[in-house]
Amino acid sequence: MKRIKNLKDLQVNQSKTADHVVSQRLDESIPLQTEDWQKVEQILMRMTEFAPTSIINEVVSAIASYADDQAKRGYLLGQEDMVQEIAQRQRVA
């Protein structure tokens, strides 16, 4: 029973490590200053004139969380596609 628990702990730790590696890779590779993000910043600045700061902070946090999740999903999908492509090339060769 203890071995199974240790195996589960190892899998959880490996998953956390993999998530950290993906996050670090995305942080290093995705530009933060883009035209699209500048538009979002401008809209948020205009919204601060009418909405409380706490609501603006919630919106920014939700946008960042969503974008981070989508980037991770895209990265992982790209990795899966790359593995499939390599496997296909190995079968052909």
Side-chain angles (χ1 to χ4, degrees):
M1 202 64 166
K2 188 172 184 176
R3 178 181 157 93
I4 292 173
K5 184 179 184 301
N6 289 340
L7 183 60
K8 288 180 181 177
D9 289 343
L10 178 64
Q11 290 171 338
V12 167
N13 287 338
Q14 287 175 341
S15 177
K16 287 181 182 177
T17 301
D19 286 345
H20 176 72
V21 170
V22 170
S23 293
Q24 183 178 358
R25 176 78 171 103
L26 290 170
D27 288 344
E28 293 169 355
S29 301
I30 295 178
L32 299 177
Q33 296 300 324
T34 64
E35 286 185 28
D36 290 332
W37 181 248
Q38 288 174 352
K39 288 178 190 175
V40 171
E41 282 183 331
Q42 290 171 354
I43 293 168
L44 289 169
M45 290 304 291
R46 283 189 281 166
M47 288 174 58
T48 59
E49 294 177 22
F50 306 104
T53 305
S54 61
I55 292 176
I56 301 299
N57 288 337
E58 285 182 50
V59 170
V60 170
S61 179
I63 291 169
S65 182
Y66 175 76
D68 191 41
D69 182 58
Q70 291 300 306
K72 286 179 185 176
R73 289 173 189 257
Y75 181 85
L76 293 173
L77 285 172
Q79 294 297 307
E80 289 175 15
D81 291 347
M82 184 176 65
V83 168
Q84 290 175 359
E85 178 68 25
I86 291 170
Q88 182 180 0
R89 289 182 183 182
Q90 290 294 323
R91 285 190 293 260
V92 172

